[in-house]
Amino acid sequence: MRRQVLPALATALALALTACGGQTPQAANTPAPATSAPAAVADTAAPATQAPAASPAAQPSPGGRIQTIISRGNLICGVNSVLPGFGNVDSTGNFSGFDVEFCRAIAAALFDDPTKVEFRPLNAQERFTALQSGEVDVLSRNTTATLTRDGSVGLDFAPVTFYDGQGMMVRKDSGIESLEDMEGARICVQSGTTTELNLADQFRSRNINFEAVIFQEADPTFQAYDSGQCDGFTTDKSGLVSYQTKATNPDDHMILDVTMSKEPLAPAVLQGDAQWADAVRWVVYATIEAEELGITSANIGDFAATEDPNIRRFLGVEGELGAGIGLPNDFAARVIKHVGNYQEIYNRNLGPDTPFNLPRGLNTLYTEGGLLYSPPFR
Amino acid sequence: MSVAPPSQQQARIPFYRDTRIIAVLLQIIFLFVVVGFIWFLYSNMMAGLRRSNLLPNYSFLSQPAGFPISESPIPYDPGRTYGYAFIIGVLNTLRVSVIGVVLATILGVIIGISRLSSNWLLRSVATGYVELVRNIPLLLQLFFWMIMSQAFPRIQDSINLGGLLYLHNRGVTLTWMREGSSFGAWLIWIGIGGLAGVILYIARRIQFVRRDRPGVALPWALLLAAGVALVGFIILRISSGTWPLALDIPELQRFSFQGGITITTNFAALIMGLVIYTAVYIGEIVRSGIQAVNKGQREAARALGLTPGQTLRLVIFPQALRIMIPPMTSQYLNLTKNSSLAVAIGFPDLFSVAGTTLNQTGQTVPVMLIVMLSYLSVSLVTSLLMNWYNKRIQLVER
């Protein structure tokens, strides 16, 4: 009897110990959010105050997300893996695309090494859960910034990296020229997207009956359209351009000249860690500011000895800009050196030399009539 | 002398070596560990959710859902609430499960019996089918059926079978029945027919008992009920001038068919996949059930002069059924739960609707709880029914 009792006791003890062991890092973590605890209490009373919660003085607190990433040694970034131009994985497992480059930029800012990123391919439905559960540090996956997602879904959006709008792809021989021609049509759409909701809203407000066919994964959604099971396929216009290159006969399809919604695509982090949100925000701004200042990965060496205090501060030659958001002072220089400025990122993935050849449209600097505008680095 | 040893013994054994105390103590410790572990997981989760301002909240259920659902047995539009969308999901899951269970049982019984057939071709085909299907993952099979369905022509060039049935890559459009204006009156006729059938059935049964001889009751009763309904159908046509049920012939509009009913490829592929996959397991259960019936039973039945068909139907099968029901229940539950793979091929079942809801609202914990409870209750009801049936057909031993 005693022989049976002892192992049982040992198991129970081991269990208790593991439970304690599990609690220790938790205990170590508690001081970190302690600074934000008063804010969190206030939030439960008035959730509306949460959105600007990032603004209260973000002290570089040990134990926040940045600390976790640095001690882990790499950034875990949630990306798309089936959208060429934005997030795509090739046969050798290399990720490429516009959104992917922003992950690399963040890694460059943190580690001075853009390869220290682990990419997690996520579909539209998985992406928020992955962020909520802490599986990924940052989500850079053509995600539309909306109030609900900022609020009740629990995200904090970085600045918009791509201003997009929802479009509709149809077959040229279908005779459809506007949404009004689509009465009774069957439309393929991916679930868990803003496009799914916009589609319903747009057609409801125009009083057009339609039948939506909803798939969880992006590829089956497009495949169903491509094989003729749907009359229309809807997603962001940039996505449509990307998908058109995947079609069996790209020339058989066309994108309707209608924009059904605003789709500002932005990277996102989990809300509740203001410092980390700031870091991601300013890495994005750094790429925009670099374009405005005319600094590229090719000519950044020329600016090393510049006298312009703006550029000196921006590149971290003087001042302590990075320290305030938990990044090294030369984070912008690192981003530009390894990944490049916004224009370089855009042209490499979506520009005239790529199969997509997307005009920059709204995605140009404010000085050229676009919407890209970085607050000053000072 | 006789008193001293026990007291000595009692003094010598400390409580931590007393097996009775240890037994109780260990259970208490174990209980604490389990409760403590669950509490730790729960409080950890709540702390995390609170930190990100994502505390569970069920108020979203009464908010408008805003997303479309491709097929629904009851009317739905995106203006309805999340709660209503959930109900559509549950109904779609039930629709797939019930149809799937019925078809899988029929196919499974045929497969199981074929596996034991003395006909070489039939036996080999059944064996090949079982070995092929049960060794390929179900999800892959669902994709296979979905891709197969894309081989059909586009809806504009549907394969037209007599103008009554159209095959296209969005599904099958069939001619169906439409209720006429006198449909309500016809329901009364059906009621009368049904009642007459029941009366006839009972009367026949009483007659058989009196004569102490077996006879056929059910077919005659059904014939009577159908006859009365048919007479009512014709009388109503003459009296009101319209058929109570009219043919609803599909007509091709620009993008879709008007009239008739359309079974979508997504639904059909899901049913095909689930039925073909589950039928294999049911077939094996049927085979093992039949083989478990003592050989003497078959021999005795044949000796009494029963045909092979009668032997199977009247002697072997009723006994095999007792062995088959418990594992069969598991397969029915499996089919119901496997239907959640629908999300991969675009059929809006419960899991698919829940996934969208979760994504739009961010309420992970409540949504997952609702989904788990829904599947649990469907499964428990299935179990309950099957257990009741199992008890009913159990051999009463004396």
Side-chain angles (χ1 to χ4, degrees), chain B residues 111 114-132:
Chain B
I111 293 299
S114 307
R115 286 266 271 161
L116 296 171
S117 164
S118 51
N119 182 326
W120 179 84
L121 184 65
L122 194 61
R123 195 172 62 231
S124 310
V125 167
T127 308
Y129 164 77
V130 167
E131 292 305 336
L132 181 74

Side-chain angles (χ1 to χ4, degrees), chain B residues 64-75:
Chain B
F67 58 85
I69 295 180
S70 54
E71 45 191 301
S72 151
I74 52 176

